[in-house]
């Protein structure tokens, strides 16, 4: 659990600043579950440059509560959370000083989004909050006001969590949370999980990932882990002290994250990822008459195939679908074994029986259309799908036919501006397996929105 924090102060000498405004958003890693926003009477004058910067003046704070009147609420909302702030050292110091004046020792774990962004977004020109969030396409209102900056920090932290493929943030937090014996409540975690699509992570007491997987129903899948019999399953059940998750909004992002993070983390209880996750490919070849035909071959590489499959049956079914969708010949594609006309025809118009009835160029053009629709080869596109919440969308970036990464957006200019798009994308390395995952998903989901990108 996190507390996203921002504080505005009076300015002045070090350790003598007073708080003028505070905003805290309690964030469970997926949504805000509580918030506290308030002006605060610092009982001292605000420096003129601060008034100009924030718009907060002494008159505005005359009737605001004093710090001792809001202190209890701050303790309650931040209890058992990690404080997140942009330049956390400053905000945490100010907060601790105020509590120290009240005779209370306020201690919380902290994470700084400046330091995190330097590690996870090293290519950013600036890591100041204003410039960084603008480069990521994050809309900011009320800049230099506590709630405006806290909300901007929250959106930034969400992006940092998604970019943290090695899970260093989650691991460090869990390591602190699980010091000592875990309670029964922590062991009984299934009820706290969502029945949604995403990736889940089973951790040991040190936060290390023991097992990770994807599911369209995280709650149901983790429950299966805890109820499954067998020696290895019982070992995993005993070692698991916490389960975290990331909602992805759709299965494609979950599949791609699982594929990437299995390679990066190599959890103890996952089977070793296969070097190649497909077994057969469909190739386009010309027959003696010059007509393009589909041929199924066993393969462990893309190696010229335009589509890959896990079985001969899957490839055969797809060829059958293509012949119907693009009016292609069953006979020359090996679907029909009829000696004369295909069963689809009542006369000799069948291409298999009388191939010269249709010009080669016209027929081959339809084959090319079929290949182009279902292959990513050399394409520059963004695959848009559902996001994690209403108004949000996922983006899967493909450049020159290669998978480049995933991200989320909720504003049209973020997807239309290639520079912003690439800044919010979590970079991932594409290979034959990721291409197989994406193309397989495209074949199954006909309603996917696929946007072409202009050459950059």
């Amino acid at each position: 659990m996190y507390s996203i924090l921002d504080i505005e102060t009076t300015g002045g000498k070090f350790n003598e600043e007073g708080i003028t405004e505070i905003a805290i958003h309690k964030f469970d890693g997926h949504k805000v579950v509580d918030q506290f926003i308030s002006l605060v009477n610092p009982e001292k004058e605000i420096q003129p440059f601060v008034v100009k910067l924030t718009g907060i003046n002494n008159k505005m704070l005359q009737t605001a509560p004093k710090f001792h009147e809001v202190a209890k609420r701050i303790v309650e909302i931040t209890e058992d959370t990690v404080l997140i702030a942009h330049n956390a050292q400053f905000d945490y110091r100010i907060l601790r000083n105020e509590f120290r004046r009240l005779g209370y020792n306020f201690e919380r774990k902290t994470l700084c989004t400046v330091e995190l962004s330097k590690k996870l977004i090293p290519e950013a020109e600036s890591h100041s909050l204003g410039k960084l969030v603008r480069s990521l396409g994050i809309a900011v209102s009320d800049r230099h006001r506590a709630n405006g900056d806290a909300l901007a920090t929250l959106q930034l932290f969400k992006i940092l969590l998604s970019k943290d493929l090695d899970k260093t943030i989650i691991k460090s937090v869990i390591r602190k949370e699980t010091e000592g014996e875990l309670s029964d409540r922590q062991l009984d975690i299934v009820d706290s999980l969502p029945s949604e699509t995403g990736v889940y992570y089973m951790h040991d007491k040190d936060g290390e990932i023991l097992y990770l997987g994807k599911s369209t129903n995280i709650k149901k899948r983790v429950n299966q882990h805890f109820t499954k019999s067998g020696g290895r399953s019982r070992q995993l059940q005993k070692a698991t002290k916490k389960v975290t998750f990331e909602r992805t909004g759709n299965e494609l992002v979950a599949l791609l994250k699982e594929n990437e993070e299995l390679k990066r983390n190599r959890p103890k209880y996952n089977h070793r990822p296969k070097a190649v996750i497909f077994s057969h490919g469909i190739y386009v070849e010309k027959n003696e008459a010059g007509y393009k035909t589909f041929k199924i071959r066993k393969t462990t590489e893309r190696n010229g195939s335009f589509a890959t499959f896990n079985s001969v049956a899957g490839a055969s079914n797809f060829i059958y679908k293509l012949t119907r969708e693009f009016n292609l010949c069953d006979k020359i594609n090996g679907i029909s074994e009829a000696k004369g006309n295909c069963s689809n025809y009542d006369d000799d118009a069948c291409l298999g029986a009388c191939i010269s009835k249709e010009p080669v160029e016209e027929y081959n053009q339809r084959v090319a259309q079929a290949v182009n629709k279902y292959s990513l080869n050399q394409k520059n596109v963004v695959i848009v799908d559902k996001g994690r919440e209403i108004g949000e969308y996922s983006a899967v970036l493909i450049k020159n036919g290669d998978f480049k990464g995933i991200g989320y957006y909720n504003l049209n200019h973020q997807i239309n501006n290639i520079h912003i798009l690439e800044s919010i994308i979590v970079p991932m390395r594409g290979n034959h397996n990721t291409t197989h995952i994406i193309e397989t998903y495209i074949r199954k989901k006909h309603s996917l929105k696929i946007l072409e990108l202009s050459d950059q």
Side-chain angles (χ1 to χ4, degrees):
M1 192 73 74
Y2 310 95
S3 290
I4 314 299
L5 168 72
D6 190 81
I7 289 173
E8 301 299 332
T9 72
T10 58
K13 293 182 180 180
F14 185 81
N15 275 355
E16 293 184 9
E17 309 98 324
I19 295 176
T20 59
E21 189 176 34
I22 185 169
I24 303 172
H25 293 266
K26 192 172 184 178
F27 179 59
D28 67 1
H30 311 281
K31 63 181 182 297
V32 173
V33 296
D34 196 2
Q35 64 180 25
F36 173 67
I37 304 159
S38 179
L39 290 169
V40 179
N41 185 342
E43 301 182 85
K44 61 180 66 177
E45 294 295 309
I46 306 173
Q47 297 294 310
F49 80 92
V50 175
V51 174
K52 186 175 180 180
L53 180 67
T54 66
I56 300 173
N57 57 48
N58 295 305
K59 186 176 181 181
M60 290 170 59
L61 303 180
Q62 288 178 357
T63 58
K66 297 174 183 177
F67 184 79
H68 71 86
E69 296 177 284
V70 298
K72 182 179 179 182
R73 176 70 172 126
I74 294 170
V75 171
E76 291 173 344
I77 195 172
T78 62
E79 191 171 9
D80 296 325
T81 71
V82 177
L83 292 183
I84 309 295
H86 207 70
N87 191 8
Q89 185 179 14
F90 172 81
D91 294 80
Y92 186 47
R93 175 179 65 81
I94 297 296
L95 206 52
R96 291 202 72 194
N97 282 341
E98 289 285 3
F99 276 107
R100 192 175 291 115
R101 293 181 186 121
L102 299 178
Y104 180 80
N105 184 28
F106 180 83
E107 290 187 348
R108 298 288 186 267
K109 302 299 180 184
T110 65
L111 284 175
C112 178
T113 51
V114 175
E115 299 303 320
L116 291 174
S117 63
K118 286 179 178 179
K119 292 179 181 178
L120 298 171
I121 316 177
E123 70 279 5
E125 292 184 7
S126 171
H127 292 92
S128 68
L129 182 61
K131 292 180 180 179
L132 183 58
V133 297
R134 277 197 299 272
S135 72
L136 297 172
I138 297 172
V140 183
S141 60
D142 290 334
R143 183 75 177 93
H144 297 299
R145 290 295 299 268
N147 194 45
D149 286 356
L151 288 173
T153 303
L154 173 60
Q155 295 305 315
L156 171 61
F157 187 58
K158 287 181 178 180
I159 290 177
L160 292 172
L161 282 174
S162 67
K163 284 181 176 287
D164 184 25
L165 297 176
D166 293 324
K167 301 301 168 192
T168 54
I169 298 174
I170 293 293
K171 288 178 184 178
S172 65
V173 171
I174 293 174
R175 196 170 290 120
K176 299 301 181 183
E177 286 181 351
T178 57
E179 291 175 352
E181 292 297 319
L182 291 174
S183 67
D184 291 338
R185 180 188 62 82
Q186 289 172 310
L187 295 175
D188 188 19
I189 56 182
V190 174
D191 286 343
S192 67
L193 300 174
S195 301
E196 298 179 43
T197 301
V199 181
Y200 59 91
Y201 311 87
M202 305 178 77
H203 303 266
D204 66 12
K205 63 182 178 63
D206 295 319
E208 293 300 318
I209 300 173
L210 299 170
Y211 186 94
L212 72 83
K214 73 90 190 170
S215 178
T216 56
N217 188 328
I218 295 173
K219 180 190 287 287
K220 182 178 179 181
R221 184 71 188 96
V222 173
N223 184 66
Q224 290 171 344
H225 282 294
F226 279 103
T227 56
K228 193 174 181 181
S229 59
R232 188 176 178 84
S233 296
R234 284 194 291 270
Q235 289 175 7
L236 176 60
Q237 293 160 15
K238 184 176 181 180
T240 299
K241 302 303 180 186
K242 190 177 184 79
V243 176
T244 62
F245 63 91
E246 285 190 31
R247 291 181 295 182
T248 60
N250 62 79
E251 191 175 9
L252 177 58
V253 175
L255 286 164
L256 292 170
K257 284 184 69 67
E258 178 192 42
N259 178 70
E260 176 78 11
E261 292 177 0
L262 280 174
K263 291 184 295 184
R264 285 176 173 267
N265 293 283
R266 297 189 178 277
K268 178 180 178 180
Y269 288 91
N270 282 93
H271 295 295
R272 179 175 294 182
K274 293 181 180 179
V276 180
I277 60 176
F278 53 87
S279 58
H280 292 79
I282 296 179
Y283 296 79
V284 179
E285 300 177 1
K286 286 186 178 180
N287 64 11
E288 294 178 356
Y291 288 87
K292 290 182 177 179
T293 66
F294 296 127
K295 299 293 184 182
I296 301 171
R297 302 193 188 285
K298 195 168 185 178
T299 184
T300 57
E301 301 177 4
R302 294 288 294 188
N303 195 26
S305 63
F306 91 89
T308 50
F309 298 83
N310 297 323
S311 66
V312 174
S316 298
N317 289 338
F318 185 60
I319 292 176
Y320 180 84
K321 174 185 173 176
L322 292 179
T323 61
R324 297 299 176 271
E325 185 176 349
F326 292 91
N327 192 28
L328 303 177
C329 178
D330 282 1
K331 185 139 186 179
I332 66 174
N333 284 302
I335 294 175
S336 172
E337 297 180 357
K339 293 181 179 180
N341 297 342
C342 297
S343 58
N344 296 325
Y345 296 86
D346 296 326
D347 53 30
D348 63 357
C350 171
L351 285 172
C354 187
I355 201 71
S356 62
K357 288 291 184 182
E358 182 176 13
V360 172
E361 295 80 6
E362 292 181 15
Y363 182 85
N364 287 351
Q365 187 175 12
R366 294 205 304 280
V367 175
Q369 290 171 351
V371 172
N372 181 65
K373 179 175 179 179
Y374 290 103
S375 173
L376 294 175
N377 187 37
Q378 299 302 312
K379 287 184 178 179
N380 293 315
V381 297
V382 178
I383 302 170
V384 176
D385 207 340
K386 292 188 299 183
R388 299 160 295 187
E389 55 195 34
I390 295 174
E392 183 182 70
Y393 301 91
S394 69
V396 175
L397 179 61
I398 310 293
K399 293 188 76 174
N400 297 320
D402 296 325
F403 168 60
K404 294 299 181 182
I406 59 177
Y408 293 93
Y409 72 98
N410 50 25
L411 298 170
N412 286 334
H413 78 269
Q414 290 178 292
I415 198 76
N416 294 328
N417 185 315
I418 184 63
H419 302 295
I420 292 179
L421 173 61
E422 289 183 329
S423 71
I424 63 176
I425 288 292
V426 179
M428 294 184 182
R429 183 173 296 179
N431 55 29
H432 297 326
N433 287 341
T434 55
T435 301
H436 171 76
I437 289 169
I438 297 169
E439 290 183 344
T440 300
Y441 192 79
I442 290 173
R443 292 195 294 263
K444 292 179 179 178
K445 302 286 185 178
H446 303 297
S447 59
L448 274 179
K449 186 176 181 180
I450 302 178
L451 305 176
E452 291 191 15
L453 296 174
S454 59
D455 294 334
Q456 301 295 322

